[in-house]
Amino acid sequence: MKAIVSIARILVGVLFIFSGFIKLNDPVGFSYKLQEYFSEPVLDIPFLIPFALIIAILLVIFEMVLGIMLLIGYAPRFTKWSLLVMIIFFTFLTFYSAYFNKVTDCGCFGDAIPLTPWESFYKDIILLVLILIIFFNEKYINPIFPVKYHKWVIFASFMASFAFCYYVLMHLPMLDFRPYKIGNNIPEKMKLPEGSEKAEVVYSWKFNVNGEEKIIENTGAYPQIEGEFIGVETSQTGENAIPPIHDFEIQGEEGDITDEVLNTDKVLLIVTYSLISTEKDGYAAVKSLSEEALQKGYKVVGLTASGPEFQQELKKEFGLNFDFYQTDETALKTIVRSNPGFLVLNQGTITQKKHWFDASDIEL
């Protein structure tokens, strides 16, 4: 039994540390996943949505430090109870998501290892068994070095985790597992592997028309309708394959300009998924960089999911001399974990990507 507990201890500890680190590398992305869980169609606790980022940070740091506590044998009683409570909660969450088909990816390992809801549930069942072995055999959880050093190890782990989290929040994730990472060609990522049949992606556009919410579904074109734009969501029909990038479409008054942008040599994309919640401290950098880009012959394009009203307000407020175009909100959140953020493209290939805080590092 001692050997079994040791194996379970190593497996659970390493998995918690790995899972925590992957999510800590991209806390903003994990907060988007929590917002999905908190939304009305899933758990129906929307009052937690504004606190999603704080909850995400605290949860992943605790998850990672808990793995370290288990491996070194610190506070075994607290550790085993914390592990059990967490795994019961996550097992319920993944089962609920899988059974009711609420969330298509649990976000357990971020974008590094996407799992289906049922895969996530089976993974949690295995973890639950391992944690129960540890829970009922606490006497075999022995410290691996003198106890007097344990508190310092845990303190250092917390401080290092918070420092790393602060760094990626003020810049961008150090490890980018998304299809929009530097070096990727967007048109190539929009293609399916040979022999695959493409699934159709449906766009659901929401508008406030005379005080009532109206939803218009189509394959991507921005609807010509009188009313206040609320947002847009995408969904997949059928079980066919979808390419890594399937919801990147740039729509304006003149129609679809996606191909034009992706076939241009020098493009600066200014990505801000929401003009309502955008960080306005970043717009001095936006204005400065966009003007430099225009002087050097770049095509400057703003991408947002917010409506024309908000676009005009922001342009007027900061004296911006480029136009915003409509793009799916989920796609924009995936492109860059900054609001606003910057991408430099050359014939559709991403050559640079920066948080607004690092705008001065972009070389044009």
Side-chain angles (χ1 to χ4, degrees):
M1 181 52 72
K2 186 177 181 179
I4 293 172
V5 172
S6 296
I7 293 169
R9 178 178 168 185
I10 292 169
L11 289 174
V12 173
V14 169
L15 195 62
F16 266 62
I17 292 169
F18 175 72
S19 175
F21 175 76
I22 290 295
K23 293 194 286 284
L24 191 62
N25 173 68
D26 185 11
V28 174
F30 185 51
S31 74
Y32 293 154
K33 185 58 62 178
L34 289 183
Q35 288 176 23
E36 194 176 347
Y37 276 115
F38 296 154
S39 65
E40 291 180 15
V42 187
L43 295 178
D44 196 17
I45 44 176
F47 64 91
L48 288 178
I49 289 177
F51 310 104
L53 182 57
I54 295 172
I55 295 171
I57 291 169
L58 295 176
L59 195 59
V60 297
I61 289 177
F62 184 64
E63 179 183 6
M64 193 160 69
V65 173
L66 199 57
I68 295 170
M69 290 169 64
L70 179 63
L71 288 180
I72 68 173
Y74 177 71
R77 181 159 295 181
F78 173 80
T79 302
K80 74 173 189 178
W81 275 105
S82 299
L83 287 170
L84 186 63
V85 170
M86 281 190 78
I87 198 60
I88 289 173
F89 172 72
F90 285 128
T91 304
F92 159 75
L93 207 58
T94 53
F95 173 77
Y96 179 81
S97 297
Y99 188 79
F100 293 102
N101 196 27
K102 292 290 186 180
V103 179
T104 55
D105 175 14
C106 73
C108 305
F109 301 110
D111 293 296
I113 309 175
L115 297 176
T116 66
W118 282 116
E119 287 171 344
S120 303
F121 173 67
Y122 298 142
K123 178 264 298 176
D124 285 343
I125 288 294
I126 294 169
L127 271 176
L128 178 59
V129 172
L130 293 173
I131 289 171
L132 285 173
I133 292 172
I134 295 167
F135 186 86
F136 290 111
N137 294 278
E138 180 189 335
K139 61 184 178 181
Y140 295 119
I141 305 177
N142 300 315
I144 62 172
F145 50 79
V147 176
K148 62 181 179 179
Y149 297 121
H150 281 190
K151 289 183 180 178
W152 290 108
V153 172
I154 299 306
F155 175 75
S157 301
F158 267 113
M159 295 307 294
S161 298
F162 276 112
F164 181 70
C165 183
Y166 178 77
Y167 176 84
V168 296
L169 285 174
M170 295 306 295
H171 302 278
L172 288 177
M174 289 185 69
L175 303 172
D176 193 349
F177 301 104
R178 286 159 289 148
Y180 295 95
K181 67 182 180 181
I182 293 173
N184 278 3
N185 181 271
I186 294 176
E188 284 298 318
K189 291 294 177 181
M190 294 171 76
K191 295 177 183 176
L192 279 174
E194 244 180 272
S196 300
E197 189 177 344
K198 187 175 180 179
E200 185 181 358
V201 177
V202 176
Y203 289 71
S204 299
W205 304 85
K206 294 182 183 178
F207 291 87
N208 184 332
V209 181
N210 299 323
E212 292 185 6
E213 185 179 286
K214 185 171 183 179
I215 299 176
I216 297 175
E217 293 187 348
N218 60 26
T219 55
Y222 186 80
Q224 301 303 313
I225 182 175
E226 293 294 329
E228 180 190 351
F229 175 76
I230 300 173
V232 60
E233 296 177 356
T234 58
S235 59
Q236 177 189 345
T237 59
E239 298 296 325
N240 295 326
I242 56 174
I245 296 177
H246 59 274
D247 49 6
F248 184 80
E249 191 168 302
I250 305 173
Q251 294 282 343
E253 290 181 0
E254 64 270 49
D256 188 338
I257 65 163
T258 311
D259 289 340
E260 178 189 340
V261 170
L262 296 179
N263 288 316
T264 302
D265 291 337
K266 296 159 69 175
V267 177
L268 174 66
L269 295 183
I270 296 165
V271 180
T272 171
Y273 74 87
S274 170
L275 299 180
I276 302 167
S277 60
T278 190
E279 296 179 73
K280 293 194 173 180
D281 290 346
Y283 281 88
V286 168
K287 183 173 173 60
S288 173
L289 186 63
S290 63
E291 289 181 349
E292 180 189 351
L294 288 168
Q295 288 172 5
K296 293 183 177 180
Y298 278 74
K299 182 177 182 66
V300 179
V301 178
L303 301 181
T304 184
S306 299
E309 245 181 74
F310 298 107
Q311 296 172 21
Q312 294 307 317
E313 283 179 20
L314 195 77
K315 285 180 67 176
K316 185 177 178 182
E317 183 177 354
F318 294 100
L320 304 177
N321 52 358
F322 61 87
D323 291 326
F324 282 96
Y325 291 81
Q326 210 77 35
T327 303
D328 175 58
E329 182 174 326
T330 302
L332 296 179
K333 286 180 174 179
T334 305
I335 289 171
V336 62
R337 304 300 200 201
S338 175
N339 187 23
F342 303 100
L343 261 74
V344 178
L345 304 183
N346 183 351
Q347 291 283 326
T349 297
I350 301 167
T351 59
Q352 298 178 74
K353 179 160 74 166
K354 296 291 182 183
H355 191 288
W356 66 261
F357 193 74
D358 296 319
S360 59
D361 293 340
I362 290 182
E363 297 177 3
L364 299 174

